[in-house]
Amino acid sequence: MRTGQTHLFIPGPTNVPEKVRQAMNVPMQDMRAHDFGALTLPIFADLKRVFDTTTGTVFMFPGSGTGCWESAITNTLSPGDRVLMARHGQFSHLWVEMAERLGLAVDVIDVDWGHGAPADLFAEKLKADPAIRAVFVTHNETATGVTSDVAAVRGALDAANHDALLFVDGVSSVGCIPFRFDAWGVDLCVTGSQKGLMMPAGLGILCVSEKALEARKTARLPRAYFHWDDMLKTNATGHFTYTPPTQLFHGLRAALDLIFAEGLEAVFARHRRLATGVRRGVHAWGMTLCARDESLWSDTVSAIVVPEGVDANQVIRIGYDRYRTSFGSGLARLSGRVFRIGHLGDLNEVMCLAALASAEMALADAGARIELGSGVAAAQAWYRDATAAHALRLAAE
Amino acid sequence: MRTGQTHLFIPGPTNVPEKVRQAMNVPMQDMRAHDFGALTLPIFADLKRVFDTTTGTVFMFPGSGTGCWESAITNTLSPGDRVLMARHGQFSHLWVEMAERLGLAVDVIDVDWGHGAPADLFAEKLKADPAIRAVFVTHNETATGVTSDVAAVRGALDAANHDALLFVDGVSSVGCIPFRFDAWGVDLCVTGSQKGLMMPAGLGILCVSEKALEARKTARLPRAYFHWDDMLKTNATGHFTYTPPTQLFHGLRAALDLIFAEGLEAVFARHRRLATGVRRGVHAWGMTLCARDESLWSDTVSAIVVPEGVDANQVIRIGYDRYRTSFGSGLARLSGRVFRIGHLGDLNEVMCLAALASAEMALADAGARIELGSGVAAAQAWYRDATAAHALRLAAE
Amino acid sequence: MRTGQTHLFIPGPTNVPEKVRQAMNVPMQDMRAHDFGALTLPIFADLKRVFDTTTGTVFMFPGSGTGCWESAITNTLSPGDRVLMARHGQFSHLWVEMAERLGLAVDVIDVDWGHGAPADLFAEKLKADPAIRAVFVTHNETATGVTSDVAAVRGALDAANHDALLFVDGVSSVGCIPFRFDAWGVDLCVTGSQKGLMMPAGLGILCVSEKALEARKTARLPRAYFHWDDMLKTNATGHFTYTPPTQLFHGLRAALDLIFAEGLEAVFARHRRLATGVRRGVHAWGMTLCARDESLWSDTVSAIVVPEGVDANQVIRIGYDRYRTSFGSGLARLSGRVFRIGHLGDLNEVMCLAALASAEMALADAGARIELGSGVAAAQAWYRDATAAHALRLAAE
Amino acid sequence: MRTGQTHLFIPGPTNVPEKVRQAMNVPMQDMRAHDFGALTLPIFADLKRVFDTTTGTVFMFPGSGTGCWESAITNTLSPGDRVLMARHGQFSHLWVEMAERLGLAVDVIDVDWGHGAPADLFAEKLKADPAIRAVFVTHNETATGVTSDVAAVRGALDAANHDALLFVDGVSSVGCIPFRFDAWGVDLCVTGSQKGLMMPAGLGILCVSEKALEARKTARLPRAYFHWDDMLKTNATGHFTYTPPTQLFHGLRAALDLIFAEGLEAVFARHRRLATGVRRGVHAWGMTLCARDESLWSDTVSAIVVPEGVDANQVIRIGYDRYRTSFGSGLARLSGRVFRIGHLGDLNEVMCLAALASAEMALADAGARIELGSGVAAAQAWYRDATAAHALRLAAE
């Protein structure tokens, strides 16, 4: 018998705010009604604000971020096209795999898991090879808790005066940490509903530059479900090619309202504030993050390396079975070595303390030498200061 | 200001039962938890019961039925493969279009819209051409309200001793009218969550025979998001390749519980009972169905031909704007000539009477000569008899 | 197995709008929080708008309208006080019974059920007896579908220059038909959450004049739970004496928003429009209303007299068992002779047609000679005209 | 902008489980339908199991526990009746006040707040005064976190061979800690929906012995809304005198299902387990409980005395404003001196740790010298042990 709230700290799906849950609880409606666009068109417009673009075009596909990876590729590239990718975690790995499956010639740079996308190596490759059609960056590698520098990759492209398309996986970054579609010259950015947008899974979201949109005209990869042409036509009036999950649009409407009421920059600041507390807790335990240095720390997910002799999978299992807490697991080569705390979406300080308190018990139960309460105390100290400072800042505004 | 319940009579998404709405209102959960299969594995098993198969394999993709059309094709066929299809409505038309887009050589038989899949012509083609790799049938053409005879197509294949795969679009039939995956020797059947399964849109569902499953090993069409191999591996324990919409699984659980509590055959009988009332109403108006003869009448949707001089789109617009009622529109060449009443999913007699009452007003407002109340009266007479008979039958059991 | 929506046409609880259902689905919260008044104080203010008063004081008690009957009495009167009441239906009957139970000396005027409060007889009594402390009026007798003329009773009091308190039961009238607390000089008006306010049952709502408020200081009936003094003190900051049902406040907030978005006068007009259709249907059947003449017809509920030889309880039972439709029953002496259609709250034209269609089948099944569709047709004709006129009016604004 | 879950640790309303929230989200229904008892009669029966009685009669009133205090009194006693009560906290105080208001002659024993009902003093009074008609005990004084020994009071009655009725306020105890209606010879026990029953406020629940039921026949206090006679008559078939909040019955059904699935004794054990952790945390801070000794500690709420110089109201205010946490306040004379942590209803270990972590920050912010993390660590140590022991016990079963 499991009582009380579950404590969900996986890096997605994230906790859905009550307002969003309320909003999704709607009867079905006619998605071909003449006024359906009154619901959907403002959502498209507001998603552009979230991507920080005025020139991009947004698509919403019933599906997931993975589907939008495919949509981004098949609508802009052709069989055998040369693309440049880095592999430094499970999600960048999977994107490489997909690109190969779809028939691209992938030039993969393998990087230690725990590092980010290597803008410098990219720069070299780009200078050397004008035939590269696209560069792929995983903005926030959810498996390792590493945030890469997308602007630096744009810099590498510009330095090489290269016109390759810039693909970005923003699944666990968009809506959580600064993302600048226009400023960074991104061409395709993929995200999903179930992370920073605080929604259930079910919508893959894609933002596309004018250049990428143009590329569809010559792209020869086969595509149907994720075809842009059909969507462009129907989206113009706020309609869809096939039956969309209308309940998710109502939820997304509510989620976007929450985001803009708080303010996008305030959302980013909050993610940093909460993440810092979690990291202070981890360091107070004497443990380290998978992300190699501070500049790479992700504000949306922390991958924590467990001490020698401790099985991270056991930590996760104990957290789930005994303490109703869900942590993210170490994926692929990190299995057993790290567990992850997702700190993105609709969270607050006390929820993060609960995550740390639960993790401490699970770690101790799994055999780690850890002082109970130590991580909590370090995070509390930070949150007290940060909350006071935050309150002052709000008062001053 | 629009008050009261909306009256939803489009052929999908259909009305979601309260129990299903309740069940979907859940917090997010860890889709990688070790016990996640306790939720999902019984759903896979129960969907097999809905498809009436013991040998098939079921897939659930975040997406829509359209996505499953693609999944069915890309996992079993190769570029240039010859396939046989009939086009007799907008949805069979779209499937043809997709097959062509994906690089198949489609042998299309055009049939008058209002007729079904031509098993006899299929038989001829199959006898003449052993190279055909697959035959596609739209079991219930939602655009015209026509139900085709899948068993007859199976008969054509068998008569020709042909080993082509049998693809079936069951989007608006599965869970509403008899569908026999095993008995009819279907190889791939596509459906979606938002029709007979009484759910919101968001899940594409696919049932695959052992033969079709085997075909994936030689199929050379590129595929990634809809790839079966990944799903097979993760589904074995009830998990998924990428983040699935867990809330929909909870809803589907509740929907399947409702279906089996009523009994699948009872669900089919109810659809027939309700559809018959709607058709009696239509005929009492002196109007006809798009479906050419009684053997083709669909028990899930009626496409109603409006009288000369009346614009069906205006009927629909008036229904929506003045009477809070959503009817389906005439698609493509049927635009303006028919409007559709969806009578599938979670409905009852009085709801169907409301549809007829509303349609009568909208028709009259749009200029049709129609005796108000006439269709309602014809349906009432039928429903009174059928309800009494139904009650007797239940009492006798 | 009962499928599809239930059709609820009892005169309360009424159908709860989706927005209100969404709003009530909240986690619990601290009803003693310092900012709780931000939720509740505007509700008090908006309820005053619904009662059409600027001078009244509103109370909300966890309970029902019946509880507020008691609160109105015990806070203003003393044992043995003489009060004047009319009995012309089950609800006025029950109020008489309560007043007697609580120790008042009730001067009851019995009136034929189907008539309203007899302002003329009241006038005589009042002239004759200056000791009468209060006059009670059931504004809308829910049992008979009769609306009484409160202003006329106020006239009787004024004509007699009498200072008795004017009590009004507005349970099934407030928020549906014009109610003018200030203009009619009402002293105590009782209502509940589950009628015109489109909420579940659970809140009794009371509006009190300054004079009635003053009366509490000398009133000697014992009271505790429904005591105003405690509530006045805590309500001042938006708090409550004991734990209130906070979820209902969220629902009420949403309901009031809907009411004011539509406009109170528009809400009244809609009730009249819908009620007229139902009455036309009843008359087309050749049946009559319990309310004796047109001036008494209630726009919130119609009590329909069934033909000789038909058992109204059987009509109701059949409606419920066979057609998922709930009608109100004939209460007390009307049992078996009338059934009631509630047409208040969140309804629309097609819902009313569904009620009539269902009633026709139930009546026929119960042995009434009735032409199926006849009532529907009469109502359709009215609704078509009224909807067109309504649309024109809106367009002109 | 307040993000994430609120942390609700007031001693009611308590956190509502998701299953209960789902269950309450229903459309309205006919509370006079012939089958309504299929919903309500099993609830009455199951509530008897919660009270641990086979002989008692249960009432559910739309209202609150306060209303049931009144119902208990007015249905069994007469003006001027002598009753014996102890006052040792705000809720026992309020019950005294109500009894006086309703016209009883109350013999009040004032006890230090922090102590329980004085069975020994009761015994003396009872021996001395055979005219006492009733003894009132507050089983769990929510204001001070003190659990009184009801069995001992029964012992005092028996020792004096006294036939006074035994009234018990079980609002914050029933369904949380052992309560034995029959074994303790309780005559009237009052509770509410919003505590151990894990529901929103809105239902007052009363359990009545045969003796108390009999007493209504001679009781002369005026009563109407809370009158048992009407309820008895209608409840017999599962119906109600006036419109009940049907949505709450659906919630209560789900809540009772959860309670019995866990097992009542297991629920009690869980409350003890969770409460012990909270108390260990408090003691690790070096603070004390309001409850004077261990035998009085309540397993449902802890009233914590703040250090000299700290304002408990500030602690609460800070918890609410900065950390989204709601604690209970010190009531009346305890205002500013204690804050309360409610640990009843649907909770788990990590939620209690969150409460402690949040309290530590709020205490520190309010000027208390407290080692951050110290209370959390003490509770974690206990919860680890208790959880392991609990798991072993379950495994052994």
Side-chain angles (χ1 to χ4, degrees), chain A residues 32 227 230-232 234-235 239-243, chain B residues 66 94:
Chain A
R32 291 207 175 92
H227 208 302
D230 306 335
M231 277 294 182
L232 279 172
T234 49
N235 284 179
H239 295 83
F240 287 79
T241 313
Y242 29 78
T243 312
Chain B
T66 306
L94 287 170

Side-chain angles (χ1 to χ4, degrees), chain D residues 374-388:
Chain D
S374 60
V376 170
Q380 282 173 313
W382 163 253
Y383 288 142
R384 285 188 59 212
D385 289 351
T387 300

Side-chain angles (χ1 to χ4, degrees), chain D residues 39-45 47 51 57-63 68 191 193 197 202-207 225-226 231 235 238-242 244-245 248-249 252 256:
Chain D
L39 168 63
T40 55
L41 292 173
I43 292 175
F44 282 111
L47 284 172
F51 283 109
T57 297
V58 168
F59 294 97
M60 294 189 278
F61 287 98
C68 282
T191 194
S193 49
L197 294 172
L203 281 180
I205 299 169
L206 182 62
C207 188
Y225 183 76
F226 293 115
M231 276 294 183
N235 285 179
H239 294 84
F240 286 79
T241 313
Y242 29 78
L248 295 186
F249 294 146
L252 191 47
L256 290 164

Side-chain angles (χ1 to χ4, degrees), chain B residues 36-308:
Chain B
F36 192 64
L39 168 63
T40 56
L41 292 173
I43 292 175
F44 282 111
D46 283 340
L47 284 172
K48 288 178 63 172
R49 294 170 63 194
V50 173
F51 283 109
D52 200 4
T53 181
T54 59
T55 60
T57 298
V58 167
F59 294 97
M60 293 189 278
F61 288 97
S64 75
T66 306
C68 282
W69 280 355
E70 179 169 329
S71 185
I73 290 170
T74 57
N75 281 280
T76 57
L77 299 171
S78 299
D81 272 356
R82 186 82 145 277
V83 300
L84 182 58
M85 302 179 79
R87 184 157 47 198
H88 52 98
Q90 177 66 2
F91 292 95
S92 42
H93 164 75
L94 287 170
W95 211 7
V96 167
E97 197 174 87
M98 175 186 278
E100 289 172 341
R101 250 183 196 175
L102 292 172
L104 301 180
V106 186
D107 189 350
V108 186
I109 303 178
D110 270 297
V111 179
D112 262 6
W113 290 29
H115 283 115
D120 49 349
L121 298 182
F122 278 177
E124 283 174 32
K125 294 268 189 180
L126 288 164
K127 270 176 207 153
D129 186 353
I132 290 169
R133 297 296 318 270
V135 183
F136 288 56
V137 181
T138 299
H139 185 202
N140 194 76
E141 175 50 81
T142 318
T144 59
V146 164
T147 301
S148 286
D149 186 347
V150 177
V153 177
R154 164 48 59 197
L157 280 156
D158 290 349
N161 203 18
H162 202 295
D163 76 341
L165 294 166
L166 177 56
F167 283 58
V168 177
D169 174 343
V171 171
S172 61
S173 67
V174 170
C176 303
I177 60 175
F179 184 88
R180 319 290 183 196
F181 190 88
D182 284 358
W184 294 344
V186 174
D187 289 301
L188 296 115
C189 179
V190 171
T191 194
S193 49
Q194 80 278 15
K195 308 270 179 172
L197 295 172
M198 309 181 291
M199 292 270 298
L203 281 180
I205 299 170
L206 182 62
C207 189
V208 174
S209 72
E210 287 169 350
K211 181 171 150 193
L213 211 54
E214 194 61 24
R216 84 185 188 281
K217 297 179 183 165
T218 50
R220 285 177 293 100
L221 276 171
R223 54 192 181 273
Y225 183 75
F226 292 115
H227 207 301
W228 295 348
D229 284 357
D230 307 334
M231 276 294 182
L232 279 172
K233 221 177 305 171
T234 49
N235 285 179
T237 55
H239 295 84
F240 287 79
T241 313
Y242 30 76
T243 312
T246 55
Q247 75 285 5
L248 295 186
F249 294 147
H250 289 280
L252 191 46
R253 176 67 271 151
L256 291 164
D257 288 346
L258 289 173
I259 287 172
F260 294 124
E262 184 173 1
L264 249 183
E265 300 301 321
V267 169
F268 301 155
R270 170 169 54 83
H271 276 81
R272 165 133 309 180
R273 204 163 61 240
L274 294 177
T276 301
V278 172
R279 290 189 288 254
R280 297 228 174 162
V282 170
H283 292 136
W285 298 336
M287 298 183 197
T288 58
L289 296 173
C290 185
R292 289 312 142 86
D293 74 58
E294 190 169 339
S295 70
L296 299 165
W297 287 349
S298 164
D299 284 339
T300 66
V301 55
S302 292
I304 299 153
V305 182
V306 297
E308 284 293 314

Side-chain angles (χ1 to χ4, degrees), chain C residues 68-70 72-74 76-77 81-88 91-92 94-96 98-100 102 104-107 109 117-118 122 126 132-139 148 150 153 157 164-169 188 190 221:
Chain C
C68 282
W69 279 354
E70 178 169 327
I73 290 170
T74 57
T76 57
L77 298 171
D81 272 358
R82 185 83 145 277
V83 302
L84 182 59
M85 302 179 79
R87 184 157 49 197
H88 51 99
F91 292 94
S92 41
L94 287 170
W95 211 6
V96 167
M98 176 185 276
E100 288 172 344
L102 292 172
L104 302 181
V106 186
D107 189 350
I109 303 179
F122 278 176
L126 288 164
I132 290 170
R133 297 296 317 270
V135 183
F136 289 56
V137 181
T138 298
H139 185 203
S148 286
V150 178
V153 177
L157 280 156
L165 294 165
L166 177 54
F167 283 59
V168 177
D169 174 343
L188 295 115
V190 171
L221 276 171

Side-chain angles (χ1 to χ4, degrees), chain B residues 3-4 18 21 347 365 384, chain C residues 3 18 21 347 365 384:
Chain B
T3 59
E18 292 292 337
R21 282 184 60 180
L347 292 176
D365 288 358
R384 286 186 60 211
Chain C
T3 58
E18 292 292 337
R21 283 184 59 179
L347 292 176
D365 288 358
R384 286 186 59 210

Side-chain angles (χ1 to χ4, degrees), chain B residues 276-358:
Chain B
T276 301
V278 172
R279 290 189 288 254
R280 297 228 174 162
V282 170
H283 292 136
W285 298 336
M287 298 183 197
T288 58
L289 296 173
C290 185
R292 289 312 142 86
D293 74 58
E294 190 169 339
S295 70
L296 299 165
W297 287 349
S298 164
D299 284 339
T300 66
V301 55
S302 292
I304 299 153
V305 182
V306 297
E308 284 293 314
V310 174
D311 177 0
N313 289 330
Q314 214 193 330
V315 174
I316 293 161
R317 176 79 183 236
I318 289 170
Y320 184 80
D321 285 345
R322 297 192 194 165
Y323 304 118
R324 298 212 68 175
T325 309
S326 291
F327 298 114
S329 56
L331 299 173
R333 73 177 65 169
L334 296 178
S335 177
R337 289 179 46 215
V338 313
F339 74 100
R340 293 177 296 151
I341 298 180
H343 33 72
L344 71 169
D346 188 47
L347 292 176
N348 56 39
E349 287 77 4
V350 177
M351 292 171 82
C352 291
L353 294 176
L356 291 169
S358 189

